[in-house]
Amino acid sequence: MKLFQQKSRIQQFDLAEDFVKEYGIGEGDFILASRTIYDKYFGPLGLNACVKYKDDYGKGEPTDSMMEALLRDFRSSGCERIAAIGGGAVIDMAKILVLDGAYSVKDIFEKKAVFKKKYPLIAVPTTCGAGSEVSNVSITEMTELNSKLGLAADELYADDAVLIPQLLSELPYSFWATSAIDAFIHAIESYVSPKANLYTEMFSIKAMEMIIHGFRSVIENGPDRRMELMEEFLTASNLAGIAFGNAGTGAVHAMSYPLSGVYHVTHGEANYQFLIAVFCAYQRFRPEGKLKRLNECLAGMLGCKAGEVYTELKNVLDKIIERKRLREYGMKREEIESFAKSVETSQQRLLNQSYVKFSWEQMAEIYSQLY
């Protein structure tokens, strides 16, 4: 039985220029990037590479049509190496470029393609949440389904994950907050996953510990304090990515996907809406076992009793950024049942990795609670 793997080499540089020099980025490289980050940190370096910007393919989270257009551009570029410089959306989009063959995005995500890796991928995260640089998961919105689908395949691992804290120096507060909370969700969900083990738990616990410590420091010292902690948050996101890349995420992610798919709520923000409610439901349905151990760990991090961890965690996160009601995004009460049923139909991969495998009725109850 496979316990753990980490296929990506992890490197860190102080400056974008150091990374470019070390890797010889230039001719023959296909770069997919966030425009603002690239123009500020890489544009002045005058790289002779094929550069495409994520915004050229569409706004918001990746869709199958955006990825299809990207595939066409890459296949006609003649490039032999891929560099993804951006948040989770950029890296997720770039991952499917590594595959051999002329398959469509739909074939790839429905696993009708033969998965054979042909091109190397360098992943450079510019947020502190996705952990996509070290995971084997790519997520896209399938427009026909009005929901997201996740694809997990070892061929999607980046060959190199490159951490450059400098690239996070102008990350707006709201993006930092939802990114860091997303990293925390990766860590906490992977900790209670049925696929977790001692190896993944070490990464999960350390990531949670670093993120909670950072949040409490920001609460105590003010929002600007986060700028001094970007390296720590980037590292914590990377650790959480390693954890969920092996153990997987669960119901929090599964239940967020219809909200993202229909109302285009960003990934981290959508996940945040469900974190506390899902884990309180776990507490009701299965309080013993792994969750009990988690609660004891969180109690130590939060400085409270084990029975108070989700109340205290909510208090901390609410001070970082306010959580909304689902109706504030435009969700309608009559969509509660259809959302829950769509999750049950399309997100079995994630539900099977959940601490409690919810029925659609149980998920509808959670949606109602948050509505």
Side-chain angles (χ1 to χ4, degrees):
M1 179 179 69
K2 183 176 75 174
L3 293 177
F4 181 83
Q5 66 179 0
Q6 176 49 43
K7 292 195 171 185
S8 305
R9 180 174 64 162
I10 302 170
Q11 298 226 73
Q12 182 167 319
F13 298 94
D14 291 331
L15 303 173
E17 185 176 0
D18 298 335
F19 155 66
V20 167
K21 183 178 180 181
E22 175 75 17
Y23 279 81
I25 303 296
E27 188 174 356
D29 289 322
F30 184 94
I31 299 175
L32 179 66
S34 300
R35 185 185 298 271
T36 303
I37 295 293
Y38 189 88
D39 288 350
K40 180 175 178 63
Y41 296 105
F42 295 90
L45 303 179
L47 304 182
N48 184 25
C50 179
V51 181
K52 299 292 182 180
Y53 299 110
K54 186 258 179 189
D55 286 351
D56 292 339
Y57 299 98
K59 304 294 183 182
E61 303 287 329
T63 66
D64 50 355
S65 58
M66 290 165 62
M67 286 190 171
E68 199 66 62
L70 175 64
L71 265 177
R72 287 195 297 270
D73 285 347
F74 174 69
R75 287 168 177 168
S76 65
S77 71
C79 293
E80 294 294 326
R81 184 170 65 170
I82 304 149
I85 304 170
V90 169
I91 297 173
D92 279 8
M93 288 177 69
K95 282 179 179 178
I96 66 166
L97 303 182
V98 307
L99 299 176
D100 194 11
Y103 299 101
S104 68
V105 172
K106 184 177 181 182
D107 285 343
I108 292 170
F109 274 84
E110 292 181 351
K111 292 195 171 182
K112 295 177 181 177
V114 176
F115 284 70
K116 180 182 178 182
K117 187 168 187 174
K118 183 176 181 180
Y119 303 101
L121 170 64
I122 305 166
V124 186
T126 61
T127 65
C128 55
S132 185
E133 73 277 4
V134 286
S135 84
N136 65 342
V137 177
S138 178
I139 298 169
T140 191
E141 178 191 338
M142 302 301 288
T143 50
E144 292 181 2
L145 298 176
N146 266 335
S147 188
K148 290 187 174 184
L149 282 183
L151 172 69
D154 286 356
E155 291 79 7
L156 304 186
Y157 276 112
D159 298 87
D160 291 80
V162 177
L163 307 182
I164 310 174
Q166 175 199 31
L167 303 185
L168 279 67
S169 61
E170 295 186 18
L171 192 65
Y173 181 87
S174 62
F175 286 95
W176 164 78
T178 54
S179 292
I181 291 172
D182 191 29
F184 181 83
I185 293 169
H186 291 153
I188 194 172
E189 285 210 286
S190 60
Y191 184 84
V192 297
S193 166
K195 295 165 61 178
N197 57 61
L198 177 62
Y199 297 91
T200 66
E201 288 169 5
M202 291 190 298
F203 288 89
S204 296
I205 288 293
K206 188 60 180 179
M208 286 188 279
E209 185 180 274
M210 292 176 72
I211 293 167
I212 287 176
H213 178 268
F215 281 166
R216 296 180 79 174
S217 181
V218 169
I219 291 167
E220 182 178 344
N221 298 287
D224 289 345
R225 170 64 173 156
R226 77 190 191 279
M227 305 310 300
E228 303 169 33
L229 299 172
M230 282 302 185
E231 183 175 339
E232 286 81 358
F233 277 104
L234 183 59
T235 300
S237 173
N238 187 259
L239 295 174
I242 293 171
F244 93 80
N246 281 273
T249 54
V252 174
H253 276 71
M255 293 189 67
S256 77
Y257 284 166
L259 186 65
S260 292
V262 176
Y263 294 104
H264 307 292
V265 182
T266 59
H267 178 71
E269 185 174 354
N271 281 338
Y272 177 31
Q273 309 315 307
F274 298 94
L275 168 60
I276 301 298
V278 165
F279 274 79
C280 285
Y282 287 165
Q283 184 69 32
R284 290 198 310 273
F285 294 128
R286 193 182 168 194
E288 299 299 324
K290 192 70 171 289
L291 196 69
K292 186 176 181 180
R293 277 201 284 145
L294 171 67
N295 294 348
E296 291 167 354
C297 291
L298 289 175
M301 299 175 198
L302 293 164
C304 65
K305 296 178 181 178
E308 301 169 349
V309 291
Y310 299 114
T311 299
E312 183 59 27
L313 181 60
K314 180 180 182 299
N315 290 339
V316 169
L317 298 183
D318 283 347
K319 291 174 183 175
I320 293 296
I321 190 168
E322 184 179 0
R323 187 180 59 79
K324 298 178 181 179
R325 307 297 299 184
L326 298 183
R327 58 178 172 269
E328 294 181 59
Y329 295 107
M331 183 178 168
K332 303 171 183 64
R333 184 173 289 280
E334 55 267 28
E335 290 178 306
I336 289 172
E337 183 174 320
S338 64
F339 273 27
K341 287 182 175 179
S342 74
V343 172
E344 187 174 64
T345 300
S346 64
Q347 303 299 337
Q348 284 297 310
R349 178 180 69 87
L350 294 178
L351 294 178
N352 286 330
Q353 294 170 172
S354 300
Y355 183 68
V356 174
K357 186 174 181 180
F358 294 141
S359 65
W360 77 260
E361 291 92 346
Q362 290 168 328
M363 289 188 284
E365 181 182 341
I366 293 172
Y367 281 121
S368 296
Q369 176 189 337
L370 299 174
Y371 180 78

